[in-house]
Amino acid sequence: MVNPPMDMARLAAVDAAQAARLLSEIREATLAGQRARMAPRPVIQQSWVRMLRSGVDPDGDYRSELLSPEEVRRRREESPLRHVLPVLREGLLSVADVTQHIMIIADADGRVLWREGSPQVLRKATGFGLELGADWREDVVGTNGVGTAAVARRPVQVFAAEHFVRSHASWTCTGAPITDPRNGSLLGVVDVSGPLETMHPATLAWVDSVAKLAEARLRELHLESLERLRTVAAPVLARLSGRALAVDRDGWAAAVTGMPYVRRVALPKSLAPGRRSLPALGPCAVEPLADGWLLRAAEEPVPSAATRIVLDLGRAARCSLTVTGSAGSWSRELGLRHAELLYLLSEHPAGRSAAGLAEDLFGDPSRTVTVRAEISRIRRYLGALLRHRPYRFCEDADVSVLLPDDPRDLLPRSTAPAVARARSARR
């Protein structure tokens, strides 16, 4: 008769070597199809079954092809996890370094985007492929704290020979998933890893609690973004009659008029301006509004009008963007990089590639990662008014640029080569 799973964390805390030997026996017997004297924990057993079905070799040396440094930077810049790095570092890194652990943060694809902590342990991790840009999905490298936590969608500790791949048996990792509070999707996994003798029974609860703190911070940021959208939407909605609401890109309502408040509206994955039919409103008109959408129920014909975009670069200290549509207008103050990019796009109505914009901004066409990341951020508030392949303003939009009286005052803080040329050419 097979004994039930035991509390391996507590045994390891008392005698890590004994726990590792016992787990090795359980693993060898289970993988050989024999009866083990003690059953593996359910979460581990389920993972081993998945590995056997998918054909992962327990004796293989699995090392995924690493992402390029440019791709790692691009994913970092686009990942919402970048907003909670301070929470994760404060909650895990100080203790992780003292206890000879490292912190790993992977995205939803299992790719390692951040790796920090004890230098000694970082070198050991590199030895078996736990590096920046590596793919640590479960079906790629076997049972582990990153990939298994992502599959199980719960905190998981993998100790010693609970790792499916034999070369990881000297390691312990504890991972917890981080989900997007807006839609419940997996954003990634935070993991604390180290040599097996450093494992502690409280590690699982510790990592899980920090992951929950990160999710709480993401909820705060979401509420802040809704408040910003509400500020923009309020004067627009005040001018409308009938039913209308302002929602963010995930359908969360920031403000409503002419109808009871709804918390969230189901939106299609790809929403574009124009006439649409939505479950909450029926036939409606959809217009971009700051970081979201203005949805207007079509009880009566919605007047159509071309969208007008005004890029105001006339004041050196403050650049802004104003968008005017059939429902009214909204404005947004611009940082230098966004002002540069929108100015460059206004100078190229037919469109500009990422490499072309990189050449314009930095004099280096290879710096496309930064360009794509910034354009992605601009599209969060311009939406379909900004097209891609190549990057350009929507053909239906009327784009105007307000320039300073003195050409030398055009974006004076900009060092972009194309802007410098424009300052000289307009004198």
Side-chain angles (χ1 to χ4, degrees):
M1 180 178 179
V2 178
N3 291 324
M6 69 177 302
D7 190 340
M8 193 55 63
R10 296 194 180 281
L11 174 60
V14 175
D15 191 333
Q18 180 186 350
R21 287 193 298 270
L22 177 57
L23 283 172
S24 183
E25 292 175 13
I26 295 172
R27 177 181 177 279
E28 295 306 316
T30 302
L31 299 186
Q34 300 171 358
R35 177 173 294 182
R37 62 188 174 112
M38 188 170 293
R41 294 184 295 133
V43 67
I44 300 300
Q45 186 172 37
Q46 292 161 10
S47 176
W48 287 355
V49 169
R50 289 193 294 268
M51 298 306 93
L52 291 169
R53 286 176 179 169
S54 61
V56 175
D57 181 2
D59 295 313
D61 183 12
Y62 288 92
R63 295 170 187 266
S64 67
E65 183 177 347
L66 301 180
L67 297 177
S68 67
E70 293 77 17
E71 177 64 11
V72 171
R73 282 197 296 271
R74 184 190 72 80
R75 292 192 180 213
R76 284 178 169 180
E77 290 174 344
E78 294 184 357
S79 173
L81 295 177
R82 73 186 188 279
H83 298 303
V84 293
L85 278 176
V87 174
L88 298 174
R89 285 171 172 147
E90 182 179 353
L92 297 174
L93 264 187
S94 59
V95 180
D97 188 55
V98 168
T99 58
Q100 295 297 289
H101 278 85
I102 58 174
M103 178 183 73
I104 301 291
I105 302 173
D107 63 14
D109 295 327
R111 291 289 185 170
V112 177
L113 299 187
W114 289 273
R115 196 187 75 139
E116 304 174 18
S118 163
Q120 179 183 356
V121 180
L122 286 171
R123 287 192 293 272
K124 290 181 179 179
T126 300
F128 54 81
L130 188 52
E131 330 178 43
L132 282 179
D135 187 346
W136 273 71
R137 286 176 296 170
E138 188 186 63
D139 58 357
V140 173
V141 297
T143 307
N144 71 90
V146 173
T148 303
V151 172
R153 294 297 292 268
R154 52 171 281 195
V156 174
Q157 187 167 61
V158 183
F159 176 70
E162 288 183 327
H163 288 89
F164 187 80
V165 174
R166 194 185 307 275
S167 59
H168 302 161
S170 63
W171 199 252
T172 290
C173 50
T174 305
I178 298 176
T179 58
D180 192 330
R182 297 170 299 178
N183 54 31
S185 64
L186 178 70
L187 296 177
V189 173
V190 60
D191 172 272
V192 166
S193 292
L196 65 89
E197 61 271 11
T198 63
M199 210 283 289
H200 189 277
T203 304
L204 187 65
W206 168 44
V207 175
D208 183 34
S209 65
V210 175
K212 284 183 168 58
L213 286 174
E215 291 177 343
R217 177 57 182 154
L218 289 172
R219 279 191 291 273
E220 290 175 2
L221 293 172
H222 182 221
L223 292 175
E224 291 171 8
S225 71
L226 284 177
E227 185 59 36
R228 289 193 297 270
L229 177 57
R230 186 175 297 115
T231 301
V232 173
V236 174
L237 293 177
R239 294 191 293 267
L240 299 179
S241 60
R243 295 181 299 144
L245 69 162
V247 299
D248 69 8
R249 296 289 167 176
D250 294 292
W252 292 93
V256 304
T257 187
M259 60 182 289
Y261 174 76
V262 292
R263 190 180 183 201
R264 190 180 184 190
V265 174
L267 300 179
K269 288 186 178 179
S270 56
L271 185 63
R275 298 296 187 101
R276 300 288 180 266
S277 182
L278 300 176
L281 291 175
C284 64
V286 178
E287 299 181 35
L289 179 67
D291 293 318
W293 300 103
L294 174 65
L295 309 177
R296 303 175 64 192
E299 282 97 356
E300 53 187 55
V302 178
S304 60
T307 300
R308 185 162 186 257
I309 300 173
V310 177
L311 179 61
D312 187 354
L313 307 179
R315 294 166 290 178
R318 183 176 179 270
C319 300
S320 65
L321 178 78
T322 300
V323 178
T324 304
S326 59
S329 64
W330 55 271
S331 299
R332 181 185 181 97
E333 190 169 339
L334 299 173
L336 177 61
R337 183 55 47 79
H338 286 197
E340 290 172 328
L341 281 166
L342 291 172
Y343 168 71
L344 293 171
L345 291 176
S346 73
E347 292 288 290
H348 297 86
R352 194 76 167 138
S353 67
L357 288 172
E359 175 74 29
D360 293 340
L361 280 177
F362 310 112
D364 180 358
S366 69
R367 293 186 62 178
T368 57
V369 171
T370 302
V371 167
R372 290 194 179 100
E374 293 297 340
I375 289 288
S376 177
R377 294 186 181 113
I378 293 174
R379 293 192 75 195
R380 290 174 190 167
Y381 52 86
L382 274 183
L385 294 175
L386 192 63
R387 302 291 175 84
H388 59 100
R389 297 179 183 175
Y391 295 120
R392 65 197 188 280
F393 286 105
C394 170
E395 292 81 358
D396 297 333
D398 175 18
V399 181
S400 301
V401 182
L402 304 181
L403 297 171
D405 295 333
D406 187 337
R408 291 172 295 183
D409 291 333
L410 173 63
L411 299 173
R413 293 186 294 117
S414 174
T415 58
V419 175
R421 288 193 297 270
R423 285 196 290 255
S424 300
R426 294 174 187 272
R427 291 180 184 177

